[in-house]
Amino acid sequence: AQTVTQSQPEMSVQEAETVTLSCTYDTSESDYYLFWYKQPPSRQMILVIRQEAYKQQNATENRFSVNFQKAAKSFSLKISDSQLGDAAMYFCAYRSLEYGNKLVFGAGTILRVKS
Amino acid sequence: DAGITQSPRHKVTETGTPVTLRCHQTENHRYMYWYRQDPGHGLRLIHYSYGVKDTDKGEVSDGYSVSRSKTEDFLLTLESATSSQTSVYFCAISDPGSRNTEAFFGQGTRLTVV
């Protein structure tokens, strides 16, 4: 079974600085998707960025980028120029393309942004 | 926003009573999921459905059952609620026919079992 591990329960960053959230996963599949979701206090689940495993190029969405290391099964999220609105819980997620297209989540990282 | 609605949004119930949570979608997505969110555990899959009347268990399915009689509705039932089932429940939908589609989530249901 696939597992996702987020080893940082909490992280803090100064406004305008850069922070990296870590995520590792375990799978025997060769093709899959990886995601980072943001959950603000409203509980809404918001997609931040996605990565297709067959693409070597790291995904980027404005201030958000990933470092995808397929061999190491690592998928970290870098947030540049952090803003107060980035404060939230961040979840790393793995989507299987074989077993019911299930999304498996990590335990989450709380990101605090200091002004 | 994806058309996905959960009801109720909040519920308090007593131990031993049955509870049904409803997820309704207007996107005609084939896959629907029920997750529970607890501190320190992230979101854990309870059950999922890959079509009408086609369902399967997730990692924390004990004490839960589901039904999907129509494409748009996915029901989660706690046959006899226990305090350990106090949690926030999320429904999600996805369309595997589109490789670039992530899962879309409902707003969540906070369930308290007293």
Side-chain angles (χ1 to χ4, degrees):
Chain A
Q2 295 81 17
T3 59
V4 177
T5 302
Q6 292 179 249
S7 59
Q8 305 154 316
E10 285 192 34
M11 292 283 286
S12 291
V13 62
Q14 200 70 32
E15 198 175 3
E17 297 293 309
T18 296
V19 65
T20 298
L21 307 184
S22 301
C23 173
T24 59
Y25 58 95
D26 187 29
T27 185
S28 58
E29 299 174 344
S30 59
D31 197 13
Y32 47 87
Y33 280 82
L34 296 166
F35 304 91
W36 279 97
Y37 280 89
K38 171 185 177 181
Q39 187 183 46
S42 67
R43 285 204 316 241
Q44 184 182 4
M45 293 289 286
I46 303 166
L47 178 70
V48 175
I49 198 165
R50 71 165 66 84
Q51 175 78 44
E52 295 92 336
Y54 64 89
K55 289 186 177 179
Q56 292 186 338
Q57 185 174 5
N58 289 324
T60 299
E61 290 287 343
N62 300 315
R63 298 183 294 107
F64 299 88
S65 61
V66 299
N67 182 6
F68 173 47
Q69 301 290 330
K70 190 173 184 179
K73 297 179 183 177
S74 172
F75 183 60
S76 61
L77 174 70
K78 185 172 80 171
I79 305 174
S80 304
D81 186 24
S82 297
Q83 301 175 0
L84 295 177
D86 294 333
M89 175 77 87
Y90 286 81
F91 292 103
C92 178
Y94 171 101
R95 176 183 166 185
S96 170
L97 295 181
E98 296 181 18
Y99 301 103
N101 279 266
K102 292 184 288 187
L103 262 181
V104 179
F105 286 84
T109 298
I110 297 172
L111 177 65
R112 305 191 193 280
V113 181
K114 301 175 183 177
S115 59
Chain B
D1 290 343
I4 178 169
T5 306
Q6 290 184 230
S7 58
R9 294 291 309 279
H10 303 272
K11 186 170 182 66
V12 180
T13 191
E14 293 185 350
T15 300
T17 60
V19 177
T20 295
L21 307 183
R22 180 179 184 240
C23 179
H24 178 77
Q25 62 148 330
T26 57
E27 304 296 323
N28 200 35
H29 281 8
R30 179 181 170 193
Y31 279 77
M32 299 185 75
Y33 311 85
W34 276 107
Y35 289 89
R36 61 177 289 174
Q37 182 178 7
D38 304 289
H41 292 279
L43 278 78
R44 292 181 291 174
L45 183 64
I46 305 171
H47 282 280
Y48 67 99
S49 170
Y50 46 95
V52 174
K53 298 184 179 179
D54 291 322
T55 64
D56 204 351
K57 296 178 179 180
E59 60 180 309
V60 290
S61 59
D62 288 348
Y64 301 95
S65 62
V66 290
S67 66
R68 191 171 179 196
S69 59
K70 298 184 291 184
T71 299
E72 57 266 34
D73 289 326
F74 193 34
L75 304 181
L76 176 70
T77 297
L78 291 65
E79 300 292 345
S80 178
T82 68
S83 58
S84 64
Q85 293 175 312
T86 292
S87 187
V88 177
Y89 292 85
F90 283 95
C91 176
I93 61 175
S94 72
D95 178 12
S98 173
R99 284 177 64 86
N100 291 324
T101 298
E102 74 276 20
F104 298 95
F105 286 81
Q107 292 296 317
T109 295
R110 181 175 293 280
L111 176 68
T112 303
V113 183
V114 297

